[in-house]
Amino acid sequence: MPKRGRGLTALWRLLLAAGVGCAIGLLPWLSRTDPALTVLKARAQERTATPEVLASVRDELGLDAGPLRLLGRWAGGLLRGDAGESWISGDPVLPAVLQALGSSLLLMVAAMVVAVATAAVGCGRTLRLGARGRLAARRPGGSGAAALAALPEFLLASVLATVVGVQLGWLPALGFYGPKWLILPALSLGLPAGALLGRLLADLLPGAFAEPWAKAAAARGIPAGRIAGHAVRRCLPGLLPNLGLFVVGLTGGAVAVEQVFDIPGLGRTTLDAAVAQDLPVLQTSALVLIVLAAVAGGLLRYGAGRASGPALRDGALPTLHPRRGGRRGWAAYAYGAVLLVVVAFALPRDPLALDTNARLRAPSWAHPFGTDSLGRDLLARIGHGALNTLALSLAISAAALLAGLLLGLLPRLSGPLVDTLNAIPPVLAGLLVAGVAGPGTMTPALAVAIVAWVPLAAHTSALLRQERATEHVAAARSLGADRAHVIRRHLLPAVLPPVARHALLRLPGVALALAALGFLGLGTQPPSPEWGLLLAENQPYAERAPWAVLAPAAVLALLGALAVTATGVGSPLRVLRRQGELGSESSDSGRLGAGASRPPGPG
């Protein structure tokens, strides 16, 4: 990138960070609440909020000076290495935030180890068959990984803490005192993240194994392990930007897991400060997350360029994305049929009918999914909640896909924006949106839509960077194709299918994010039968009545499996099999010799 372009990108990044800082500094005034009253209640719930007491708090904090002067005072202190003192505890802010950051970074490293191991297990069969030239014999799958990716982190955390930590006593479930205390929270965060990373990698591997170098390596008897390693390296540039999003998300977005396991991490610190309107802590935490996101994003984008090598600069990469579609498998229809049957049987039932004599009943013929803590039928609540939850989630996912594709085409504009927005925990985004728009039914939808496009834009930019360096795009440009023609006929057809599959993989997460914000009082309230609300409402009863959380969790996992299997159109494995680019019947393999899929014999 030219120096002028780098300078503009840096300026744009600084403006975004300043905008986020100003928005956070205005949060109490945007939300039309009295910050003095909020701080007083956070300090001492039982203290009476008399006018004299509130005036004393305002004078102590300097609230009468106004938000802009407070923000300027905090920014001026930062230049001297002083982030001020907490409005609640009175302790210096910077040491506390850095200590929370250290806890979050340790948890993030452990979670990334779990995520990489999970992704390796999920892609192991593809790597093994692809390295041996037998990938054509493998049926497309991945529904299990999609179901795992759809499981909410707080549910995994609750189950692991209750079963492994409390009932079995194998590992500690509360606190943060050493390596043993990291295992359960790392599993809660790393398993869903690794399943999603594994699916994204599995989306790219068939194209890598179909390239001439892989066939030539197999024909020359190169060990299968080395071929698999080079295939992973070939796919890394398309994955590393999303890996950076995971890194920051596992640091600032691990609020639920940190609360379940009582970990004093940065996400929990940010949320507590936002709820208490402790502006010095909130602003400093957000600034640390933004800096972390910028550093992680820059390093991983640099790593993506290094992994591609000179071929990225010279426009000599083959494409990893075939252009012709395949067919959906039977699994998509099976999962869809099961979901429809659940909804059809649930709709005639009343989701709001109370029966206190049937509280927390186990599944039976009368209540196939059991009942909740108020005796309401869980099947009825899941079925009725499917309509609103799925409709709104699909609309947000479609809007996120469109925004991700459009902004992914403009990496200089979207790169800093992606890093900045990814650094904001979804709950904080919800509080900011609620402050501007006010609590309401659409507040969670707006908050989730603001951040839902971020990973899709990062994925689009990473894939486009590689696709622009492919040989066929270079050939089209040499023949006089203009930029619009290249985008319309070559780039979008290549990146749209994998990004659309990525958007569908995140569909259950969108549903959960909507419900989580509603449960915090920022949108739809109980007794609405939204799926995520069902999980949150019944989570305290997970040990006594596990069906109360397993039923909505199973439906979310089913939605994840349906999302990934419904994307059979354009699936690389199906397409490459139809094109004859995998297996011994490939025309390229024929040119390499009859033994292209195995080491040649001595003759």
Side-chain angles (χ1 to χ4, degrees):
M1 184 185 298
K3 289 184 178 180
R4 183 172 180 270
R6 286 197 295 267
L8 291 175
T9 301
L11 177 60
W12 174 227
R13 194 181 296 277
L14 287 175
L15 289 175
L16 288 172
V20 171
C22 290
I24 293 174
L26 294 172
L27 178 60
W29 290 269
L30 290 174
S31 57
R32 294 173 289 278
T33 60
D34 186 354
L37 177 61
T38 306
V39 170
L40 178 65
K41 292 300 181 184
R43 288 177 174 178
Q45 283 279 355
E46 68 281 356
R47 191 171 182 183
T48 304
T50 62
E52 294 78 11
V53 171
L54 293 178
S56 173
V57 173
R58 291 192 188 95
D59 183 63
E60 175 191 349
L61 302 179
L63 295 176
D64 292 335
L68 295 181
R69 185 167 295 181
L70 285 173
L71 184 62
R73 189 184 306 165
W74 171 79
L78 276 182
L79 298 177
R80 301 187 302 272
D82 179 15
E85 297 178 348
S86 168
W87 287 359
I88 308 301
S89 66
D91 297 330
V93 169
L94 198 56
V97 169
L98 292 180
Q99 184 177 0
L101 174 64
S103 301
S104 291
L105 289 178
L106 283 175
L107 178 57
M108 178 267 291
V109 171
M112 285 308 302
V113 171
V114 174
V116 171
T118 304
V121 171
C123 295
R125 188 162 180 263
T126 301
L127 285 169
R128 186 172 63 254
L129 294 177
R132 288 171 170 78
R134 298 201 301 268
L135 198 56
R138 177 182 178 271
R139 295 181 62 82
S143 56
L148 180 59
L151 288 178
E153 294 164 349
F154 74 84
L155 176 63
L156 280 177
S158 300
V159 171
L160 289 174
T162 301
V163 176
V164 180
V166 177
Q167 292 183 347
L168 298 178
W170 290 349
L171 291 167
L174 288 177
F176 191 70
Y177 305 106
K180 286 197 302 183
W181 280 263
L182 278 175
I183 297 177
L184 292 183
L187 288 173
S188 303
L189 290 169
L191 288 175
L196 183 55
L197 281 175
R199 280 300 307 162
L200 296 178
L201 178 58
D203 208 33
L204 298 172
L205 281 174
F209 283 123
E211 292 178 351
W213 67 264
K215 301 170 186 175
R220 287 170 172 79
I222 302 296
R226 291 184 61 186
I227 298 176
H230 283 291
V232 171
R233 180 181 175 183
R234 173 69 178 91
C235 299
L236 273 183
L239 284 179
L240 285 180
N242 267 283
L243 189 62
L245 301 185
F246 279 114
V247 166
V248 181
L250 293 175
T251 305
V255 179
V257 173
E258 290 177 353
Q259 286 184 328
V260 169
F261 292 103
D262 195 24
I263 297 174
L266 190 57
R268 184 178 172 188
T269 300
T270 304
L271 176 61
D272 291 345
V275 172
Q277 294 187 357
D278 191 351
L279 287 189
V281 177
L282 180 58
Q283 290 167 328
T284 306
S285 300
L287 179 63
V288 168
L289 284 171
I290 290 173
V291 172
L292 176 65
V295 172
L299 289 176
L300 289 171
R301 278 191 291 270
Y302 174 77
R306 295 286 297 177
S308 295
L312 182 68
R313 180 190 66 244
D314 299 337
L317 286 175
T319 182
L320 288 175
H321 309 287
R323 295 180 58 185
R324 294 202 299 270
R327 299 177 301 168
R328 291 181 178 87
W330 62 268
Y333 298 105
Y335 294 136
V338 172
L339 190 58
L340 287 176
V341 167
V342 170
V343 174
F345 274 95
L347 288 181
R349 299 168 178 259
D350 186 357
L352 303 178
L354 301 178
D355 184 1
T356 55
N357 294 322
R359 297 175 64 248
L360 299 177
R361 289 279 178 86
S364 62
W365 285 109
H367 305 287
F369 287 179
T371 62
D372 65 6
S373 59
L374 297 177
R376 296 173 294 193
D377 185 75
L378 282 173
L379 175 60
R381 292 181 65 73
I382 287 173
H384 284 266
L387 302 179
N388 292 335
T389 302
L390 287 179
L392 192 55
S393 300
L394 283 170
I396 292 175
S397 297
L401 175 61
L402 179 61
L405 286 171
L406 293 178
L407 289 171
L409 292 170
L410 304 169
R412 293 186 185 179
L413 171 68
S414 64
L417 191 59
V418 163
D419 292 340
T420 303
L421 290 180
N422 183 59
I424 302 175
V427 173
L428 179 56
L431 290 172
L432 290 173
V433 172
V436 177
T441 305
M442 295 308 296
T443 297
L446 289 173
V448 175
I450 286 174
V451 297
W453 62 270
V454 168
L456 304 180
H459 197 189
T460 301
S461 295
L463 296 181
L464 281 174
R465 188 182 185 190
Q466 290 193 93
E467 199 66 24
R468 286 191 176 102
T470 54
E471 296 169 335
H472 70 93
V473 170
R477 286 172 175 159
S478 67
L479 292 173
D482 58 14
R483 184 178 182 185
H485 176 87
V486 170
I487 292 175
R488 186 177 66 254
R489 298 298 299 274
H490 296 281
L491 299 182
L492 284 181
V495 303
L496 180 57
V499 176
R501 286 191 289 274
H502 187 181
L504 281 173
L505 274 174
R506 291 185 175 271
L507 179 62
V510 170
L512 276 172
L514 286 170
L517 291 174
F519 187 70
L520 291 173
L522 300 177
T524 304
Q525 298 296 299
S528 174
E530 284 188 309
W531 289 353
L533 282 176
L534 298 184
L535 282 169
E537 289 171 347
N538 295 306
Q539 184 186 350
Y541 310 98
E543 186 176 357
R544 178 183 171 189
W547 55 85
V549 293
L550 288 178
V555 177
L556 276 167
L558 179 65
L559 176 61
L562 173 62
V564 70
T565 53
T567 55
V569 172
S571 173
L573 189 57
R574 296 180 184 276
V575 175
L576 293 173
R577 185 184 291 117
R578 289 185 61 192
Q579 292 177 343
E581 294 180 5
L582 290 172
S584 58
E585 60 268 24
S586 160
S587 59
D588 287 335
S589 295
R591 285 193 291 270
L592 287 171
S597 60
R598 61 182 185 277

